[in-house]
Amino acid sequence: MARKHPHTSASGDRDLRVNPVFSREPLTIPRYALPAGELDPGTAYQIVHDELMLDGNARLNLATFVSTWAEPEALRLMSECAEKNMIDKDEYPRTAELEMRCVHMLARLWHAPDPRRAVGCSTTGSSEAAMLGGLALKRRWRERRRAAGRPADRPNLVMGVNVQICWEKFANYFEVEPRYVPMEGDRYHLGAREAVELCDENTIGVVAVLGSTFDGSYEPVAEIAAALDDLERRTGLNVPIHVDGASGAMVAPFLDAGLEWDFRLDRVASINTSGHKYGLVMPGVGWALWRDEDALPDDLVFHVNYLGGDMPTFALNFSRPGAQVVAQYYNFLRLGIEGYRRVQQTCRDVATRLAAGIGRLGPFETLTDGGDIPVFAFRVREDVGTFTVYDVSAALRESGWLVPAYTFPENRTDLAVLRVVVRHGFGHDLADLFMDDLRRVLPRLESQPGPQRSAAEAAGFAHGAEPKPAHRAPS
């Protein structure tokens, strides 16, 4: 006769009966309506947690420019400040003080003529910061036109067709004509001559991008400034520059100190950057700075009470968390000049090494090498007929890698590319694993009878590399 386990009875009455989490009432969880009653917090957590497991791994997302890694101490500070509202300067004066310290640090980093007079603010990201910069350009232009007794109803903004979509939104929301300079040949961003050709008396400014989302390249800000200086000498038109440094403004100061793109150029009126990109903060913070008070029209500034005094505020948003601003200040303290240099140099080293490795693979050729911001684009060689960039993107997704595939905009729509963004946390080891997976899928792709995917079937978000209509210069 079989022996019974000493801790059980024949009926199993001593077995521990625990209902599985998902059999707790209510048994049916509505997805698109509020439940009628409450849930146990553990049940609610488990439901949300388990569904989020189906998301991609953020560290393997090579499409996004946004930081996906932070030190535990930064995350702890963010958790401690999650409930602080950035707009409540009087209630949270130390958080407001940290914001102002970050502004002054950036003013010095970007060579403001007098960092004590530079004005700026934190934002929810570089899109909001860019719109603030655009609004200031529009208001300054309108004031000059009205002072001269001239009409101010047809403002335009000149930029490359490669600008991030936030500039298209700015033009739409604030009724400014966008004048996009198309790509031509091997020029994948804004050129100085092409920018000047589209400027006229209604141009509120030129947007120069320090780190194009399409291929990672810097636009020639100094050349554009020189061309606009020449335009003013010839015609009297005074056209300022806004530098969209969403990525590059937190890379160039540390790796390209001799590159003139910032407030060292008199023509640069304002700069924006993303603290949550190469500023190394988790998503939710950007920065907008103007070279001095004259560059920011006073009618864009609102005033709040701060420690019994007056503090100007000029963000588009109102309530937002202070946690990301605190994390930015932590990073500035934690890393300093040398720390940021080392982090960004490592990212650039990974990007250039990875780009070179991909370029040595037979089917691919690189358009850029990751030597500006640590971002590069590559394409399938024209003589390869069995697969497309869209096939490559889909094959890499099977291993968890998110690599966007997209076509370039007007005048280069023939060019379909893949783009890799190297961020802090994507080191040489992960780059090697990425290369292993890329090599692994190539034999299968090369044995296909022909391409299996097209642009219409492409999945994923290109993070700024969206097509826009180009503007033709008047003949």
Side-chain angles (χ1 to χ4, degrees), residues 284-308:
V285 64
W287 300 93
L289 266 72
W290 289 263
R291 68 181 304 114
D292 53 35
E293 293 139 348
D294 295 337
L296 180 65
D298 192 59
D299 60 359
L300 286 179
V301 179
F302 293 83
H303 298 271
V304 296
N305 186 277
Y306 172 64
L307 294 180

Side-chain angles (χ1 to χ4, degrees), residues 105-406:
M105 289 175 177
L106 289 171
R108 286 169 172 79
L109 191 66
W110 296 339
H111 300 97
D114 183 354
R116 295 167 299 179
R117 292 191 63 229
V119 291
C121 64
S122 65
T123 62
T124 54
S126 57
S127 292
E128 181 189 357
M131 291 193 188
L132 286 171
L135 271 174
L137 293 177
K138 181 181 178 182
R139 292 290 178 88
R140 289 181 68 205
W141 170 82
R142 189 178 68 183
E143 290 171 3
R144 292 195 304 268
R145 297 285 289 178
R146 288 177 174 174
R150 312 197 68 175
D153 58 342
R154 297 179 60 191
N156 68 68
L157 183 65
V158 173
M159 48 198 156
V161 74
N162 57 300
V163 291
Q164 213 268 353
I165 195 171
C166 69
W167 289 105
E168 186 175 3
K169 290 182 178 180
F170 165 76
N172 183 11
Y173 297 163
F174 297 105
E175 299 181 322
V176 174
E177 176 198 351
R179 293 189 172 182
Y180 299 115
V181 173
M183 295 180 178
E184 297 286 352
D186 293 334
R187 179 181 55 76
Y188 304 130
H189 55 225
L190 183 63
R193 176 180 58 82
E194 293 78 10
V196 168
E197 286 176 352
L198 291 186
C199 292
D200 59 27
E201 63 180 8
N202 291 316
T203 301
I204 66 174
V206 172
V207 176
V209 179
L210 200 70
S212 171
T213 55
F214 278 85
D215 63 1
S217 61
Y218 292 154
E219 290 187 338
V221 185
E223 292 179 22
I224 295 169
L228 291 172
D229 289 343
D230 178 66
L231 177 69
E232 184 173 10
R233 284 191 294 269
R234 291 186 288 107
T235 67
L237 294 177
N238 181 8
V239 180
I241 291 174
H242 174 88
V243 177
D244 183 350
S247 295
M250 291 303 295
V251 174
F254 307 107
L255 301 186
D256 308 295
L259 181 68
E260 292 194 344
W261 62 272
D262 52 17
F263 293 127
R264 284 172 289 185
L265 302 171
D266 293 340
R267 186 100 12 206
V268 173
S270 49
I271 301 170
N272 71 272
T273 197
S274 283
H276 60 224
K277 291 180 181 174
Y278 290 99
L280 310 181
V281 179
M282 288 296 191
V285 64
W287 300 93
L289 266 72
W290 289 263
R291 68 181 304 114
D292 53 35
E293 293 139 348
D294 295 337
L296 180 65
D298 192 59
D299 60 359
L300 286 179
V301 179
F302 293 83
H303 298 271
V304 296
N305 186 277
Y306 172 64
L307 294 180
D310 176 78
M311 169 171 270
T313 178
F314 28 90
L316 294 178
N317 286 293
F318 196 70
S319 294
R320 56 188 175 86
Q324 285 84 355
V325 169
V326 171
Q328 184 75 84
Y329 184 69
Y330 166 83
N331 279 342
F332 285 170
L333 284 187
R334 164 76 175 85
L335 294 172
I337 298 290
E338 180 55 28
Y340 266 96
R341 187 205 63 77
R342 188 168 63 253
V343 168
Q344 313 302 33
Q345 185 63 60
T346 299
C347 289
R348 181 179 282 180
D349 290 345
V350 171
T352 54
R353 176 172 169 261
L354 188 56
I358 291 173
R360 286 192 292 269
L361 295 177
F364 303 116
E365 59 181 338
T366 55
L367 275 68
T368 47
D369 65 358
D372 288 340
I373 62 172
V375 174
F376 64 91
F378 64 102
R379 64 176 177 175
V380 176
R381 299 181 70 89
E382 292 181 356
D383 57 353
V384 174
T386 59
F387 63 91
T388 66
V389 293
Y390 307 106
D391 292 313
V392 177
S393 179
L396 289 170
R397 185 178 282 260
E398 295 169 7
S399 298
W401 301 106
L402 302 182
V403 182
Y406 52 87

Side-chain angles (χ1 to χ4, degrees), residues 34-52:
L34 287 170
E38 300 177 26
L39 287 177
D40 176 85
T43 303
Y45 169 82
Q46 195 68 44
I47 291 169
V48 177
H49 172 82
D50 286 0
E51 184 163 355
L52 289 175

